[in-house]
Amino acid sequence: MDKFIIDGGRRLYGTIRAESAKNSVLPLLAASVLTEEQVTIREVPAITDVLCMVQILRELGAKVTFRGEDVIIDSADACCHEISSALTKELRSSVFMLGSLLTRFRRAVIAYPGGCDIGLRPIDLHLSALKRLGVKIEERDGFIYCKCDVLRGAEIALDFPSVGATENILLAAVKAEGRTVLHGAAKEPEIVDLQNFLNGMGANIRGAGTDVIVIEGVKRLGGVTFLPIKDRIEAGSYLIACAVCGGETEVEGVCGENIRLLLHKLRENGCKIHTKNDKIRIESSGRLKSNRRIETMPFPGFPTDLQAQATALNSGAEGGALIIENLFETRYKYVPELRKMGADIEVNGRNAFVRGVSRLHGATVAAGDLRGGAALVIAALGAEGTSEVLDLSHIDRGYADLQGKLTSLGAKIKRVRI
Ligand code: UD1
């Protein structure tokens, strides 16, 4: 068990490069078992969610090797269609394996998926879409048993643009007989990345990034070498950290369009933002004005994965902010920890009202989930005095070398074994 010891109050200066997007890499790893040929995913981040997904692939019988930052998957010998509950409970993204395994083996058995404890996270939309494609599903004793003789293209309409359900449908329909038309699809950039990856394997998919995706089933998929898009949530987290601390930082690799709403909110806070190609530069005095209102929405709205970090920012800004979380029911579990640092936040269901205090102070706090953990680190960087952030395993799921990157920007942060 490790913890961070953070001395707050340092300004952040310099440049960092965003990693490949976690939320792109995980479904791509799941998609790698769709072919018996070799798949290479380039510049994969060193985060534990990736290691967990690799473990799942190995359990299925795939050979997975790391060459530098690249991951090479050879699933020619994969023969297993069951994923143990120990692994699915570790990682929410294991749910993508349903679509991939059904395409490859016509069978899939997985335990109910886990992941961050941020709400109910049902998978009813995934399952009803799979049924539309001809899959028979039984749920017993915490496991989901899926099988089909043949996958058949269908018209599918999602009641809500779920990212995971959209990705699962692509994975299940890519080799189905005939055409699948998905209405009400999620439009996140990571879905476009999955479409590009699958088309690189020989799939025929168009429309990702809009709310209608058309998948013409193909007979065969081959190997591919693919460089995923960079992580807009990681990039956004560093931009918020710089806004809070003050300074001048550039994040490379992410196009401003992919986090347009965050950039708009940071300008509202009083920061100067410049974007050019895939570079975003922020200048901040460290004295911020509150955002009046931030409401999380599916892309291109404000991402729920940056809600906690934005709340941390508003905790030390001048004025009051209303935060509305529309995607997950219990995504304010980090709030009691922020209060230990002096934050004044009232939570009422999906709403949090943040009254900015002039400065947060150091405290010992514990990360309870990935993004909530990032929010605590950001708050500690801006706070007066020393903080300790415990339970880093949550942060390690999605941020590669957080300490190294922040140190390179001038933060004072140490990682120590407890
Ligand atoms: C993905 C991201 C996650 C992000 C989220 C929202 C990955 C690996 N994870 O998660 O980081 O926070 O998108 O942008 O890409 N829902 C249902 N039934 C379903 C599926 C979802 O009701 O079958 C609801 C959920 O409860 C939630 C909303 O839809 O309220 C959004 O969920 P979804 O987009 O599916 O999120 P994930 O794919 O789990």
Side-chain angles (χ1 to χ4, degrees):
M1 289 264 276
D2 289 0
K3 67 178 177 186
F4 284 142
I5 301 175
I6 299 173
D7 283 338
R10 305 280 173 130
R11 289 179 164 256
L12 303 185
Y13 291 95
T15 300
I16 52 158
R17 188 160 176 76
E19 308 278 334
S20 292
K22 167 178 96 67
N23 287 351
S24 186
V25 169
L26 296 174
L28 300 186
L29 285 167
S32 68
V33 302
L34 292 170
T35 177
E36 296 188 9
E37 294 178 19
Q38 185 170 295
V39 169
T40 303
I41 305 177
R42 299 197 38 223
E43 297 182 15
V44 169
I47 52 178
T48 53
D49 268 9
V50 163
L51 298 179
C52 193
M53 198 61 160
V54 164
Q55 196 53 36
I56 288 178
L57 296 177
R58 286 183 174 147
E59 268 202 10
L60 297 172
K63 280 200 220 48
V64 185
T65 42
F66 289 84
R67 195 171 55 204
E69 294 185 322
D70 299 349
V71 173
I72 300 153
I73 305 107
D74 174 350
S75 67
D77 296 333
C79 53
C80 174
H81 63 271
E82 289 190 25
I83 305 176
S84 69
S85 62
L87 286 171
T88 56
K89 288 204 179 347
E90 281 281 301
L91 181 66
R92 164 85 187 169
S93 306
S94 51
V95 73
F96 305 127
M97 293 309 305
L98 275 181
S100 294
L101 291 174
L102 282 163
T103 293
R104 177 85 187 260
F105 302 116
R106 305 275 180 269
R107 296 269 181 287
V109 180
I110 69 164
Y112 261 98
C116 273
D117 181 13
I118 55 177
L120 283 173
R121 309 196 82 170
I123 55 167
D124 54 314
L125 298 171
H126 302 239
L127 299 184
S128 58
L130 293 176
K131 284 182 189 157
R132 299 274 307 152
L133 296 169
V135 180
K136 295 202 176 47
I137 300 173
E138 262 184 67
E139 295 171 62
R140 311 184 233 119
D141 313 326
F143 281 84
I144 306 163
Y145 296 82
C146 301
K147 61 177 178 189
C148 59
D149 298 326
V150 54
L151 288 159
R152 275 208 186 83
E155 291 268 333
I156 300 174
L158 287 178
D159 291 335
F160 183 89
S162 154
V163 175
T166 300
E167 291 170 336
N168 233 336
I169 292 165
L170 260 56
L171 295 169
V174 62
K175 285 178 80 185
E177 277 180 11
R179 169 188 292 183
T180 298
V181 182
L182 171 58
H183 301 272
K187 296 186 279 210
E188 270 68 1
E190 293 77 18
I191 305 228
V192 179
D193 224 30
L194 179 61
Q195 168 181 281
N196 293 341
F197 176 85
L198 293 171
N199 284 346
M201 293 168 98
N204 183 354
I205 306 175
R206 59 185 189 276
T210 74
D211 49 17
V212 182
I213 302 181
V214 180
I215 307 142
E216 310 279 356
V218 295
K219 290 254 174 305
R220 200 186 150 273
L221 293 173
V224 67
T225 295
F226 191 82
L227 178 65
I229 51 166
K230 300 291 180 234
D231 198 317
R232 61 198 167 93
I233 304 300
E234 187 205 18
S237 303
Y238 286 110
L239 292 171
I240 294 173
C242 181
V244 166
C245 295
E248 197 174 333
T249 300
E250 185 164 274
V251 180
E252 289 179 355
V254 172
C255 157
E257 270 306 291
N258 285 348
I259 42 170
R260 199 169 25 160
L261 243 94
L262 172 69
L263 301 186
H264 171 69
K265 292 293 167 192
L266 289 170
R267 286 189 179 109
E268 247 175 45
N269 296 129
C271 302
K272 287 202 185 104
I273 306 281
H274 309 270
T275 60
K276 196 172 175 201
N277 303 323
D278 69 345
K279 293 187 175 67
I280 305 173
R281 190 153 54 85
I282 179 167
E283 279 173 55
S284 167
S285 66
R287 283 187 301 279
L288 303 176
K289 292 192 283 287
S290 289
N291 300 110
R292 283 210 4 252
R293 181 187 167 101
I294 293 181
E295 186 164 359
T296 66
M297 292 282 188
F299 189 85
F302 193 91
T304 174
D305 284 352
L306 288 172
Q307 177 259 102
Q309 300 89 317
T311 303
L313 178 156
N314 278 285
S315 299
E318 191 191 323
L322 172 64
I323 315 284
I324 306 173
E325 171 56 57
N326 285 312
L327 278 92
F328 297 107
E329 300 82 8
T330 55
R331 213 167 189 179
Y332 289 124
K333 288 197 171 162
Y334 62 86
V335 164
E337 301 302 295
L338 273 186
R339 285 194 193 118
K340 291 181 189 165
M341 304 173 88
D344 182 351
I345 306 173
E346 212 176 294
V347 175
N348 188 355
R350 290 178 178 272
N351 298 347
F353 188 73
V354 188
R355 279 181 213 87
V357 297
S358 58
R359 189 103 193 252
L360 298 178
H361 55 76
T364 298
V365 291
D369 68 87
L370 169 58
R371 306 303 172 186
L376 297 177
V377 170
I378 288 169
L381 290 169
E384 196 167 347
T386 303
S387 297
E388 296 198 352
V389 180
L390 314 177
D391 291 351
L392 300 188
S393 60
H394 294 286
I395 297 175
D396 292 338
R397 285 188 39 219
Y399 291 91
D401 193 22
L402 184 70
Q403 178 224 348
K405 287 185 176 182
L406 287 171
T407 302
S408 78
L409 296 177
K412 210 153 175 240
I413 171 169
K414 262 195 317 210
R415 186 175 177 126
V416 295
R417 270 271 130 84
I418 303 179

